[in-house]
Amino acid sequence: WEQRKLGEVVEFFNGDRSSRYPNDSDMVPEGIPFINAGDLVSGRVKLDTANKITEEKYNELSGAKIQRGDIIYCLRGTLGKNAFVDNFDAGTVASSLVDIRPKKIVGKYLFQVLNSDIEYRQRTVNDEGAAQPNLSAKNLSLFDIPMPSEFEQEKIALYFDTLDHLITLHQHKCDEMKKLKKYWIAAFFVFAGLLQSCDDDEGYSIGDIANDWVTIRVEGEGVYSFTGDTWGTMYPAANAVWNYSLVEGQRAFLVFNPLFDNYYGYDVG
């Protein structure tokens, strides 16, 4: 593929660096986003944490005027951190950021390139900072960008955008499983403390572990009883697993601690 300099296919807009630059007194609860590096999260602008300025202040500024489809890129500090703008139509950036506007390149394709080793290798070579990482917009404009046809750019962007969504989905599932694991670890140690001899009149002890294939019966919201193939009907229990519900008639393999026979009309409690 042909290589083009980034500056040949995009426009760059820096944040306002004049005396009109917004300060703390210019911030308002609701208004136009004034984007800092900390607002760039997982490739998107996190608007709920972003500072806001009034429309009047926004119109005073001579720097970047963000549009949907732009890419916000960090030039200082967390160098290379970036976000694709797809969730708002107007805003501006802090002086540590630059607003990149695709002109002769597919924006989503460029976003993927700027999050690849193609960008990383050139960024590390061009880092001008000593104590703090720093890159000028001029040097960024000299980055080499592979340029397939527009059709190919669209296809490449769609492929990796879909992959990003899958990664996010699985990361969410992974986070949920981590939460569930923490619950089970805590529950295990609580239960383990009860595993001591405590015989009752039916000959069962806390710590006598049984298992059976069961059919689930929904008794109420978050409350279930079970009908076991071997043990018969079992006294209802509440579900302690966060954000999880059992299904009426579902089959399950149940591990439990029997304590009583013929317990309040159930075969086992």
Side-chain angles (χ1 to χ4, degrees), residues 3 6 71-75 78-82 98 100 109-127 135 139-146:
Q3 301 282 317
L6 180 58
I71 298 169
I72 311 302
Y73 185 97
C74 187
L75 295 173
T78 49
L79 196 60
K81 189 179 184 183
N82 61 79
V98 65
I100 302 173
Y109 167 74
L110 176 59
F111 174 70
Q112 295 296 341
V113 173
L114 292 177
N115 287 278
S116 73
D117 276 355
I118 296 170
E119 181 270 350
Y120 174 75
R121 288 193 299 268
Q122 297 180 81
R123 168 163 45 93
T124 54
V125 169
N126 287 279
D127 182 359
L135 180 68
N139 275 347
L140 178 61
S141 72
L142 298 176
F143 280 19
D144 291 316
I145 306 295

mmCIF file of all heavy atoms in Angstrom, residues 3 6 71-75 78-82 98 100 109-127 135 139-146:
data_model
loop_
_atom_site.group_PDB
_atom_site.id
_atom_site.type_symbol
_atom_site.label_atom_id
_atom_site.label_comp_id
_atom_site.label_asym_id
_atom_site.label_seq_id
_atom_site.Cartn_x
_atom_site.Cartn_y
_atom_site.Cartn_z
ATOM 1 N N GLN A 3 2.171 4.835 1.043
ATOM 2 C CA GLN A 3 2.366 5.518 2.322
ATOM 3 C C GLN A 3 2.167 7.018 2.121
ATOM 4 O O GLN A 3 2.683 7.598 1.177
ATOM 5 C CB GLN A 3 3.779 5.258 2.862
ATOM 6 C CG GLN A 3 4.122 3.796 3.081
ATOM 7 C CD GLN A 3 3.514 3.255 4.362
ATOM 8 O OE1 GLN A 3 3.531 3.901 5.393
ATOM 9 N NE2 GLN A 3 2.978 2.049 4.286
ATOM 10 N N LEU A 6 0.730 11.815 7.526
ATOM 11 C CA LEU A 6 -0.550 12.089 8.167
ATOM 12 C C LEU A 6 -1.045 13.493 7.840
ATOM 13 O O LEU A 6 -2.239 13.709 7.594
ATOM 14 C CB LEU A 6 -0.417 11.904 9.687
ATOM 15 C CG LEU A 6 -1.673 12.161 10.519
ATOM 16 C CD1 LEU A 6 -2.825 11.252 10.086
ATOM 17 C CD2 LEU A 6 -1.383 11.949 12.012
ATOM 18 N N ILE A 71 -10.812 13.030 15.644
ATOM 19 C CA ILE A 71 -10.050 12.198 16.568
ATOM 20 C C ILE A 71 -9.269 13.122 17.494
ATOM 21 O O ILE A 71 -8.552 14.013 17.024
ATOM 22 C CB ILE A 71 -9.090 11.252 15.825
ATOM 23 C CG1 ILE A 71 -9.880 10.291 14.932
ATOM 24 C CG2 ILE A 71 -8.201 10.479 16.811
ATOM 25 C CD1 ILE A 71 -9.018 9.504 13.956
ATOM 26 N N ILE A 72 -9.432 12.935 18.796
ATOM 27 C CA ILE A 72 -8.691 13.732 19.780
ATOM 28 C C ILE A 72 -7.453 12.948 20.183
ATOM 29 O O ILE A 72 -7.546 11.779 20.562
ATOM 30 C CB ILE A 72 -9.555 14.027 21.021
ATOM 31 C CG1 ILE A 72 -10.937 14.564 20.610
ATOM 32 C CG2 ILE A 72 -8.845 14.994 21.945
ATOM 33 C CD1 ILE A 72 -10.887 15.819 19.786
ATOM 34 N N TYR A 73 -6.298 13.592 20.121
ATOM 35 C CA TYR A 73 -5.013 12.913 20.319
ATOM 36 C C TYR A 73 -4.191 13.688 21.347
ATOM 37 O O TYR A 73 -4.094 14.915 21.295
ATOM 38 C CB TYR A 73 -4.285 12.832 18.983
ATOM 39 C CG TYR A 73 -2.993 12.053 18.972
ATOM 40 C CD1 TYR A 73 -2.961 10.723 18.562
ATOM 41 C CD2 TYR A 73 -1.786 12.656 19.329
ATOM 42 C CE1 TYR A 73 -1.763 10.016 18.531
ATOM 43 C CE2 TYR A 73 -0.593 11.959 19.299
ATOM 44 C CZ TYR A 73 -0.594 10.626 18.904
ATOM 45 O OH TYR A 73 0.584 9.921 18.867
ATOM 46 N N CYS A 74 -3.568 12.956 22.272
ATOM 47 C CA CYS A 74 -2.799 13.577 23.348
ATOM 48 C C CYS A 74 -1.341 13.773 22.929
ATOM 49 O O CYS A 74 -0.663 12.816 22.543
ATOM 50 C CB CYS A 74 -2.872 12.715 24.604
ATOM 51 S SG CYS A 74 -2.117 13.498 26.036
ATOM 52 N N LEU A 75 -0.868 15.021 23.020
ATOM 53 C CA LEU A 75 0.503 15.373 22.633
ATOM 54 C C LEU A 75 1.459 15.451 23.817
ATOM 55 O O LEU A 75 2.674 15.448 23.619
ATOM 56 C CB LEU A 75 0.502 16.737 21.927
ATOM 57 C CG LEU A 75 -0.236 16.817 20.588
ATOM 58 C CD1 LEU A 75 -0.276 18.272 20.118
ATOM 59 C CD2 LEU A 75 0.430 15.938 19.548
ATOM 60 N N THR A 78 0.255 11.594 28.764
ATOM 61 C CA THR A 78 -0.100 10.244 28.288
ATOM 62 C C THR A 78 -0.093 10.263 26.763
ATOM 63 O O THR A 78 -1.134 10.156 26.097
ATOM 64 C CB THR A 78 -1.478 9.812 28.820
ATOM 65 O OG1 THR A 78 -2.420 10.861 28.598
ATOM 66 C CG2 THR A 78 -1.408 9.481 30.297
ATOM 67 N N LEU A 79 1.098 10.367 26.225
ATOM 68 C CA LEU A 79 1.330 10.571 24.797
ATOM 69 C C LEU A 79 0.673 9.475 23.958
ATOM 70 O O LEU A 79 0.816 8.289 24.239
ATOM 71 C CB LEU A 79 2.846 10.583 24.564
ATOM 72 C CG LEU A 79 3.375 11.130 23.244
ATOM 73 C CD1 LEU A 79 2.967 12.583 23.079
ATOM 74 C CD2 LEU A 79 4.897 11.003 23.213
ATOM 75 N N GLY A 80 -0.063 9.889 22.930
ATOM 76 C CA GLY A 80 -0.679 8.937 22.019
ATOM 77 C C GLY A 80 -2.078 8.493 22.406
ATOM 78 O O GLY A 80 -2.790 7.892 21.601
ATOM 79 N N LYS A 81 -2.483 8.765 23.625
ATOM 80 C CA LYS A 81 -3.845 8.442 24.039
ATOM 81 C C LYS A 81 -4.821 9.185 23.134
ATOM 82 O O LYS A 81 -4.615 10.363 22.822
ATOM 83 C CB LYS A 81 -4.033 8.866 25.497
ATOM 84 C CG LYS A 81 -5.320 8.408 26.153
ATOM 85 C CD LYS A 81 -5.349 8.888 27.601
ATOM 86 C CE LYS A 81 -6.558 8.394 28.358
ATOM 87 N NZ LYS A 81 -6.619 8.932 29.740
ATOM 88 N N ASN A 82 -5.872 8.521 22.695
ATOM 89 C CA ASN A 82 -6.757 9.167 21.732
ATOM 90 C C ASN A 82 -8.178 8.657 21.837
ATOM 91 O O ASN A 82 -8.454 7.660 22.513
ATOM 92 C CB ASN A 82 -6.212 8.991 20.315
ATOM 93 C CG ASN A 82 -6.118 7.526 19.911
ATOM 94 O OD1 ASN A 82 -7.113 6.913 19.553
ATOM 95 N ND2 ASN A 82 -4.904 6.954 19.964
ATOM 96 N N VAL A 98 -4.636 17.630 20.645
ATOM 97 C CA VAL A 98 -4.842 18.170 19.305
ATOM 98 C C VAL A 98 -6.064 17.480 18.711
ATOM 99 O O VAL A 98 -6.322 16.300 18.948
ATOM 100 C CB VAL A 98 -3.591 17.962 18.412
ATOM 101 C CG1 VAL A 98 -3.317 16.480 18.154
ATOM 102 C CG2 VAL A 98 -3.735 18.717 17.094
ATOM 103 N N ILE A 100 -7.751 16.136 15.474
ATOM 104 C CA ILE A 100 -7.402 15.669 14.126
ATOM 105 C C ILE A 100 -8.691 15.483 13.331
ATOM 106 O O ILE A 100 -9.575 14.735 13.750
ATOM 107 C CB ILE A 100 -6.621 14.344 14.185
ATOM 108 C CG1 ILE A 100 -5.350 14.498 15.022
ATOM 109 C CG2 ILE A 100 -6.298 13.848 12.778
ATOM 110 C CD1 ILE A 100 -4.607 13.189 15.257
ATOM 111 N N TYR A 109 -10.869 4.231 10.049
ATOM 112 C CA TYR A 109 -9.635 3.524 9.663
ATOM 113 C C TYR A 109 -8.431 4.197 10.306
ATOM 114 O O TYR A 109 -7.566 3.532 10.891
ATOM 115 C CB TYR A 109 -9.494 3.520 8.144
ATOM 116 C CG TYR A 109 -8.120 3.098 7.659
ATOM 117 C CD1 TYR A 109 -7.715 1.765 7.707
ATOM 118 C CD2 TYR A 109 -7.213 4.040 7.184
ATOM 119 C CE1 TYR A 109 -6.443 1.383 7.279
ATOM 120 C CE2 TYR A 109 -5.945 3.673 6.755
ATOM 121 C CZ TYR A 109 -5.566 2.338 6.810
ATOM 122 O OH TYR A 109 -4.310 1.965 6.403
ATOM 123 N N LEU A 110 -8.369 5.537 10.234
ATOM 124 C CA LEU A 110 -7.254 6.259 10.848
ATOM 125 C C LEU A 110 -7.213 6.009 12.343
ATOM 126 O O LEU A 110 -6.135 5.839 12.925
ATOM 127 C CB LEU A 110 -7.381 7.754 10.566
ATOM 128 C CG LEU A 110 -6.326 8.648 11.227
ATOM 129 C CD1 LEU A 110 -4.917 8.252 10.801
ATOM 130 C CD2 LEU A 110 -6.602 10.123 10.912
ATOM 131 N N PHE A 111 -8.381 5.975 12.977
ATOM 132 C CA PHE A 111 -8.440 5.706 14.415
ATOM 133 C C PHE A 111 -7.786 4.359 14.734
ATOM 134 O O PHE A 111 -7.032 4.240 15.719
ATOM 135 C CB PHE A 111 -9.897 5.714 14.879
ATOM 136 C CG PHE A 111 -10.089 5.307 16.317
ATOM 137 C CD1 PHE A 111 -9.666 6.117 17.357
ATOM 138 C CD2 PHE A 111 -10.697 4.098 16.628
ATOM 139 C CE1 PHE A 111 -9.841 5.740 18.688
ATOM 140 C CE2 PHE A 111 -10.882 3.712 17.945
ATOM 141 C CZ PHE A 111 -10.454 4.531 18.975
ATOM 142 N N GLN A 112 -8.037 3.341 13.920
ATOM 143 C CA GLN A 112 -7.426 2.032 14.159
ATOM 144 C C GLN A 112 -5.911 2.090 13.950
ATOM 145 O O GLN A 112 -5.154 1.492 14.724
ATOM 146 C CB GLN A 112 -8.049 0.978 13.232
ATOM 147 C CG GLN A 112 -9.520 0.708 13.482
ATOM 148 C CD GLN A 112 -9.800 0.117 14.854
ATOM 149 O OE1 GLN A 112 -8.903 -0.418 15.510
ATOM 150 N NE2 GLN A 112 -11.050 0.216 15.305
ATOM 151 N N VAL A 113 -5.463 2.823 12.947
ATOM 152 C CA VAL A 113 -4.019 2.960 12.707
ATOM 153 C C VAL A 113 -3.350 3.669 13.895
ATOM 154 O O VAL A 113 -2.250 3.282 14.327
ATOM 155 C CB VAL A 113 -3.754 3.736 11.400
ATOM 156 C CG1 VAL A 113 -2.255 4.036 11.248
ATOM 157 C CG2 VAL A 113 -4.244 2.948 10.200
ATOM 158 N N LEU A 114 -4.026 4.692 14.440
ATOM 159 C CA LEU A 114 -3.464 5.436 15.562
ATOM 160 C C LEU A 114 -3.481 4.643 16.868
ATOM 161 O O LEU A 114 -2.958 5.104 17.886
ATOM 162 C CB LEU A 114 -4.212 6.761 15.750
ATOM 163 C CG LEU A 114 -4.015 7.804 14.641
ATOM 164 C CD1 LEU A 114 -4.871 9.028 14.904
ATOM 165 C CD2 LEU A 114 -2.544 8.184 14.498
ATOM 166 N N ASN A 115 -4.082 3.476 16.841
ATOM 167 C CA ASN A 115 -4.071 2.582 17.999
ATOM 168 C C ASN A 115 -3.364 1.277 17.670
ATOM 169 O O ASN A 115 -3.698 0.216 18.213
ATOM 170 C CB ASN A 115 -5.511 2.319 18.469
ATOM 171 C CG ASN A 115 -6.114 3.514 19.167
ATOM 172 O OD1 ASN A 115 -5.881 3.741 20.350
ATOM 173 N ND2 ASN A 115 -6.891 4.311 18.438
ATOM 174 N N SER A 116 -2.370 1.371 16.808
ATOM 175 C CA SER A 116 -1.611 0.190 16.381
ATOM 176 C C SER A 116 -0.120 0.426 16.559
ATOM 177 O O SER A 116 0.326 1.523 16.897
ATOM 178 C CB SER A 116 -1.912 -0.114 14.908
ATOM 179 O OG SER A 116 -1.285 0.855 14.069
ATOM 180 N N ASP A 117 0.654 -0.611 16.297
ATOM 181 C CA ASP A 117 2.111 -0.485 16.359
ATOM 182 C C ASP A 117 2.647 0.480 15.304
ATOM 183 O O ASP A 117 3.764 0.994 15.441
ATOM 184 C CB ASP A 117 2.759 -1.861 16.154
ATOM 185 C CG ASP A 117 2.833 -2.653 17.447
ATOM 186 O OD1 ASP A 117 2.478 -2.095 18.504
ATOM 187 O OD2 ASP A 117 3.230 -3.838 17.407
ATOM 188 N N ILE A 118 1.886 0.716 14.244
ATOM 189 C CA ILE A 118 2.307 1.675 13.219
ATOM 190 C C ILE A 118 2.512 3.046 13.855
ATOM 191 O O ILE A 118 3.519 3.721 13.608
ATOM 192 C CB ILE A 118 1.253 1.754 12.089
ATOM 193 C CG1 ILE A 118 1.156 0.410 11.370
ATOM 194 C CG2 ILE A 118 1.601 2.871 11.103
ATOM 195 C CD1 ILE A 118 -0.016 0.311 10.405
ATOM 196 N N GLU A 119 1.542 3.450 14.672
ATOM 197 C CA GLU A 119 1.650 4.720 15.380
ATOM 198 C C GLU A 119 2.668 4.639 16.508
ATOM 199 O O GLU A 119 3.494 5.544 16.679
ATOM 200 C CB GLU A 119 0.273 5.108 15.942
ATOM 201 C CG GLU A 119 0.239 6.430 16.688
ATOM 202 C CD GLU A 119 0.536 6.305 18.180
ATOM 203 O OE1 GLU A 119 0.587 5.169 18.699
ATOM 204 O OE2 GLU A 119 0.750 7.338 18.832
ATOM 205 N N TYR A 120 2.640 3.538 17.267
ATOM 206 C CA TYR A 120 3.484 3.423 18.463
ATOM 207 C C TYR A 120 4.974 3.537 18.116
ATOM 208 O O TYR A 120 5.719 4.266 18.783
ATOM 209 C CB TYR A 120 3.213 2.095 19.157
ATOM 210 C CG TYR A 120 4.132 1.815 20.326
ATOM 211 C CD1 TYR A 120 3.965 2.483 21.537
ATOM 212 C CD2 TYR A 120 5.189 0.916 20.194
ATOM 213 C CE1 TYR A 120 4.827 2.254 22.599
ATOM 214 C CE2 TYR A 120 6.048 0.680 21.264
ATOM 215 C CZ TYR A 120 5.866 1.348 22.455
ATOM 216 O OH TYR A 120 6.728 1.121 23.497
ATOM 217 N N ARG A 121 5.410 2.850 17.056
ATOM 218 C CA ARG A 121 6.836 2.873 16.685
ATOM 219 C C ARG A 121 7.288 4.291 16.323
ATOM 220 O O ARG A 121 8.370 4.725 16.722
ATOM 221 C CB ARG A 121 7.083 1.926 15.514
ATOM 222 C CG ARG A 121 7.003 0.449 15.879
ATOM 223 C CD ARG A 121 7.574 -0.423 14.773
ATOM 224 N NE ARG A 121 6.841 -0.261 13.527
ATOM 225 C CZ ARG A 121 5.809 -1.016 13.160
ATOM 226 N NH1 ARG A 121 5.379 -1.975 13.956
ATOM 227 N NH2 ARG A 121 5.213 -0.821 11.991
ATOM 228 N N GLN A 122 6.448 5.012 15.594
ATOM 229 C CA GLN A 122 6.814 6.370 15.184
ATOM 230 C C GLN A 122 6.735 7.347 16.359
ATOM 231 O O GLN A 122 7.544 8.275 16.459
ATOM 232 C CB GLN A 122 5.902 6.828 14.042
ATOM 233 C CG GLN A 122 6.062 5.952 12.794
ATOM 234 C CD GLN A 122 5.167 6.386 11.660
ATOM 235 O OE1 GLN A 122 5.490 7.321 10.931
ATOM 236 N NE2 GLN A 122 4.032 5.696 11.501
ATOM 237 N N ARG A 123 5.799 7.124 17.246
ATOM 238 C CA ARG A 123 5.665 7.987 18.424
ATOM 239 C C ARG A 123 6.882 7.875 19.330
ATOM 240 O O ARG A 123 7.393 8.888 19.828
ATOM 241 C CB ARG A 123 4.390 7.639 19.186
ATOM 242 C CG ARG A 123 4.297 8.272 20.561
ATOM 243 C CD ARG A 123 2.905 8.264 21.129
ATOM 244 N NE ARG A 123 2.208 7.016 20.977
ATOM 245 C CZ ARG A 123 2.182 6.030 21.870
ATOM 246 N NH1 ARG A 123 2.880 6.149 22.994
ATOM 247 N NH2 ARG A 123 1.476 4.939 21.662
ATOM 248 N N THR A 124 7.335 6.658 19.596
ATOM 249 C CA THR A 124 8.485 6.476 20.492
ATOM 250 C C THR A 124 9.749 7.087 19.906
ATOM 251 O O THR A 124 10.596 7.613 20.646
ATOM 252 C CB THR A 124 8.703 4.983 20.788
ATOM 253 O OG1 THR A 124 8.804 4.255 19.561
ATOM 254 C CG2 THR A 124 7.550 4.408 21.599
ATOM 255 N N VAL A 125 9.887 7.055 18.611
ATOM 256 C CA VAL A 125 11.067 7.646 17.959
ATOM 257 C C VAL A 125 11.017 9.180 18.031
ATOM 258 O O VAL A 125 12.044 9.845 18.188
ATOM 259 C CB VAL A 125 11.158 7.186 16.488
ATOM 260 C CG1 VAL A 125 12.206 7.986 15.725
ATOM 261 C CG2 VAL A 125 11.494 5.707 16.414
ATOM 262 N N ASN A 126 9.809 9.737 17.952
ATOM 263 C CA ASN A 126 9.655 11.193 17.860
ATOM 264 C C ASN A 126 9.347 11.875 19.190
ATOM 265 O O ASN A 126 9.153 13.092 19.213
ATOM 266 C CB ASN A 126 8.545 11.530 16.859
ATOM 267 C CG ASN A 126 8.971 11.291 15.422
ATOM 268 O OD1 ASN A 126 9.651 12.112 14.817
ATOM 269 N ND2 ASN A 126 8.581 10.149 14.875
ATOM 270 N N ASP A 127 9.295 11.112 20.272
ATOM 271 C CA ASP A 127 9.023 11.694 21.594
ATOM 272 C C ASP A 127 10.101 12.730 21.913
ATOM 273 O O ASP A 127 11.284 12.422 21.980
ATOM 274 C CB ASP A 127 9.007 10.580 22.644
ATOM 275 C CG ASP A 127 8.682 11.096 24.038
ATOM 276 O OD1 ASP A 127 8.482 12.310 24.197
ATOM 277 O OD2 ASP A 127 8.635 10.263 24.966
ATOM 278 N N LEU A 135 5.140 15.511 22.245
ATOM 279 C CA LEU A 135 5.197 15.365 20.791
ATOM 280 C C LEU A 135 4.555 16.597 20.176
ATOM 281 O O LEU A 135 3.468 17.000 20.593
ATOM 282 C CB LEU A 135 4.440 14.101 20.366
ATOM 283 C CG LEU A 135 4.379 13.764 18.875
ATOM 284 C CD1 LEU A 135 5.764 13.368 18.359
ATOM 285 C CD2 LEU A 135 3.383 12.640 18.624
ATOM 286 N N ASN A 139 5.527 17.172 14.224
ATOM 287 C CA ASN A 139 6.117 15.833 14.077
ATOM 288 C C ASN A 139 5.045 14.771 13.871
ATOM 289 O O ASN A 139 5.246 13.809 13.129
ATOM 290 C CB ASN A 139 6.961 15.487 15.304
ATOM 291 C CG ASN A 139 8.373 16.027 15.193
ATOM 292 O OD1 ASN A 139 8.803 16.454 14.125
ATOM 293 N ND2 ASN A 139 9.102 16.026 16.299
ATOM 294 N N LEU A 140 3.895 14.931 14.544
ATOM 295 C CA LEU A 140 2.797 13.995 14.336
ATOM 296 C C LEU A 140 2.345 14.015 12.883
ATOM 297 O O LEU A 140 2.012 12.968 12.311
ATOM 298 C CB LEU A 140 1.628 14.365 15.264
ATOM 299 C CG LEU A 140 0.363 13.523 15.162
ATOM 300 C CD1 LEU A 140 0.645 12.057 15.491
ATOM 301 C CD2 LEU A 140 -0.719 14.063 16.101
ATOM 302 N N SER A 141 2.362 15.182 12.273
ATOM 303 C CA SER A 141 1.920 15.311 10.881
ATOM 304 C C SER A 141 2.835 14.568 9.912
ATOM 305 O O SER A 141 2.453 14.297 8.770
ATOM 306 C CB SER A 141 1.844 16.784 10.485
ATOM 307 O OG SER A 141 3.145 17.338 10.336
ATOM 308 N N LEU A 142 4.048 14.215 10.380
ATOM 309 C CA LEU A 142 5.013 13.521 9.514
ATOM 310 C C LEU A 142 4.941 12.001 9.641
ATOM 311 O O LEU A 142 5.700 11.291 8.980
ATOM 312 C CB LEU A 142 6.428 14.000 9.834
ATOM 313 C CG LEU A 142 6.693 15.500 9.595
ATOM 314 C CD1 LEU A 142 8.099 15.871 10.052
ATOM 315 C CD2 LEU A 142 6.490 15.860 8.124
ATOM 316 N N PHE A 143 4.051 11.511 10.490
ATOM 317 C CA PHE A 143 3.887 10.058 10.639
ATOM 318 C C PHE A 143 3.457 9.455 9.306
ATOM 319 O O PHE A 143 2.602 10.006 8.595
ATOM 320 C CB PHE A 143 2.829 9.739 11.696
ATOM 321 C CG PHE A 143 3.319 9.838 13.116
ATOM 322 C CD1 PHE A 143 4.458 10.548 13.448
ATOM 323 C CD2 PHE A 143 2.620 9.226 14.140
ATOM 324 C CE1 PHE A 143 4.906 10.639 14.762
ATOM 325 C CE2 PHE A 143 3.047 9.314 15.456
ATOM 326 C CZ PHE A 143 4.194 10.022 15.766
ATOM 327 N N ASP A 144 4.064 8.304 8.963
ATOM 328 C CA ASP A 144 3.688 7.581 7.748
ATOM 329 C C ASP A 144 2.438 6.739 8.007
ATOM 330 O O ASP A 144 2.381 5.979 8.984
ATOM 331 C CB ASP A 144 4.830 6.668 7.297
ATOM 332 C CG ASP A 144 6.024 7.458 6.783
ATOM 333 O OD1 ASP A 144 5.805 8.422 6.031
ATOM 334 O OD2 ASP A 144 7.167 7.106 7.148
ATOM 335 N N ILE A 145 1.453 6.862 7.128
ATOM 336 C CA ILE A 145 0.187 6.151 7.260
ATOM 337 C C ILE A 145 -0.039 5.306 6.006
ATOM 338 O O ILE A 145 -0.027 5.845 4.889
ATOM 339 C CB ILE A 145 -0.991 7.132 7.433
ATOM 340 C CG1 ILE A 145 -0.744 8.092 8.602
ATOM 341 C CG2 ILE A 145 -2.304 6.375 7.599
ATOM 342 C CD1 ILE A 145 -0.679 7.430 9.961
ATOM 343 N N PRO A 146 -0.241 4.002 6.135
ATOM 344 C CA PRO A 146 -0.553 3.175 4.961
ATOM 345 C C PRO A 146 -1.919 3.568 4.405
ATOM 346 O O PRO A 146 -2.866 3.789 5.158
ATOM 347 C CB PRO A 146 -0.554 1.747 5.510
ATOM 348 C CG PRO A 146 -0.750 1.881 6.984
ATOM 349 C CD PRO A 146 -0.190 3.207 7.385
#
